[in-house]
Amino acid sequence: MEAFTYSRANDAAQATNAVAQRDAKFVAGGTTLLDLMKLDVERPTRLVDINHIGLDTIERLPDGRLRVGALVRNSDMAHHAVVQAEYSVLSQALLAGASAQLRNMATTGGNLLQRTRCMYFRNTAMACNKRVPGSGCSAIEGDNRSLAILGTSKDCIATNPSDMNVALTALEAVVTIQGAKGSRDVAIGDFFLLPGTTPHLETVVAPGELITHVTLPAARKGSKQVYLKLRDRASYEFALSSAAVVAEISGGKISYIRVAMGGVGTKPWRSHEAEAALLHQPAEMAVFHRAGAAAVRDARPQTENGFKVELTKRCIAHALTLATQSA
């Protein structure tokens, strides 16, 4: 770990001004950043502590939407009464991620910006285009069992590791970003970038910008919500495949559906293909299996992760079964 300076911001404007200089980083929970600094992957020369700028509340807006501050801890959001009652897929996803200790520290904004767990990204002795643009991707011919089958490119096959982000994608959240030119709202589907030839660019957040809030649409009353996570072990493990489902059933048919996937995409992956296969169809297993197959139609598995294709089909089918069995 290299030497760095430390300062504390008192409001969002002060925070964004403080990171305007090169190689400065925000720090809140630090659950990812500090790990990467120890590994010499991140090398900020200045850390700006944003824990004292507010942004740590969850509030209902007049139009029924729910606004979550970027500094709300994952544990607080997972156990919030409104989140549990109306956005249960989000609570389920948060509780499926990390450990209780990490959830007590990790923040909403930090989770949105969580870096990949690809072993080559975290090992500075190995080539990684995400860490050093143009150096190559060791994962393509290396250990890629846990990596992506959707949204990959010749330059990167790393997965987005977050559970929370998958649920936010299914809920069609909006992310508010503040910078020197003011604030802007970005739909969650536009927030994450595909790797293409620039895998080091992961989100639309520009240098010097700060995530201030995440806003959830007004809850869909009566919707059935499920987050299903498949992993090698039951505790503190990243997803091999996961599915977030928000569904409404009317007359035995699916009248509303959102499906997002984790563990298989280079970003939290919304499956419009699965949704198209499900909408207005009977809530039955044959339809669920067709939706699973549609979700991985464009999958490009690597040398060691081809099993994720079938695993994801089954994950989606089972998540849909759980979401609709009591409808």
Side-chain angles (χ1 to χ4, degrees), residues 62-146:
D63 60 3
R65 293 178 299 157
L66 194 70
R67 188 167 71 171
V68 180
L71 293 177
V72 171
R73 306 293 160 166
N74 285 179
S75 288
D76 292 336
M77 181 156 58
H79 294 291
H80 191 276
V82 175
V83 174
Q84 289 182 321
E86 300 180 12
Y87 307 94
S88 61
V89 67
L90 178 56
S91 178
Q92 295 170 50
L94 287 163
L95 293 174
S99 64
Q101 294 89 341
L102 285 171
R103 290 195 297 269
N104 288 341
M105 291 298 295
T107 63
T108 303
N111 202 324
L112 280 165
L113 299 174
Q114 187 178 173
R115 308 299 301 275
T116 184
R117 303 296 297 192
C118 176
M119 61 181 289
Y120 300 105
F121 170 74
R122 298 170 68 87
N123 184 348
T124 56
M126 307 301 293
C128 172
N129 289 318
K130 189 178 286 292
R131 178 170 31 81
V132 182
S135 64
C137 177
S138 299
I140 290 177
E141 298 298 330
D143 183 353
N144 52 48
R145 176 178 180 273
S146 65

Side-chain angles (χ1 to χ4, degrees), residues 162-213:
S162 173
D163 296 292
M164 181 193 83
N165 295 341
V166 181
L168 290 179
T169 298
L171 291 169
E172 298 182 295
V174 173
V175 182
T176 301
I177 304 168
Q178 181 171 324
K181 297 180 180 179
S183 65
R184 58 194 174 105
D185 292 332
V186 180
I188 192 76
D190 299 323
F191 180 80
F192 298 98
L193 302 175
L194 291 172
T197 58
T198 56
H200 61 292
L201 302 177
E202 298 175 342
T203 72
V204 297
V205 179
E209 290 188 323
L210 173 70
I211 297 172
T212 59
H213 297 91

Side-chain angles (χ1 to χ4, degrees), residues 92-93 95-98 145-147 149 159-163 166 226-245 260-265 289 292 296 307-320 322:
Q92 295 170 50
L95 293 174
R145 176 178 180 273
S146 65
L147 300 181
I149 60 174
T159 48
N160 183 290
S162 173
D163 296 292
V166 181
V226 166
Y227 184 72
L228 178 63
K229 181 177 182 178
L230 305 182
R231 44 190 165 173
D232 283 326
R233 60 175 186 245
S235 177
Y236 192 33
E237 183 62 283
F238 295 90
L240 290 172
S241 182
S242 68
V245 171
M261 302 182 293
V264 293
H289 282 303
V296 293
F307 72 95
K308 284 193 175 189
V309 175
E310 183 62 28
L311 186 69
T312 299
K313 292 179 186 178
R314 299 187 183 201
C315 182
I316 290 173
H318 190 46
L320 289 163
L322 293 172

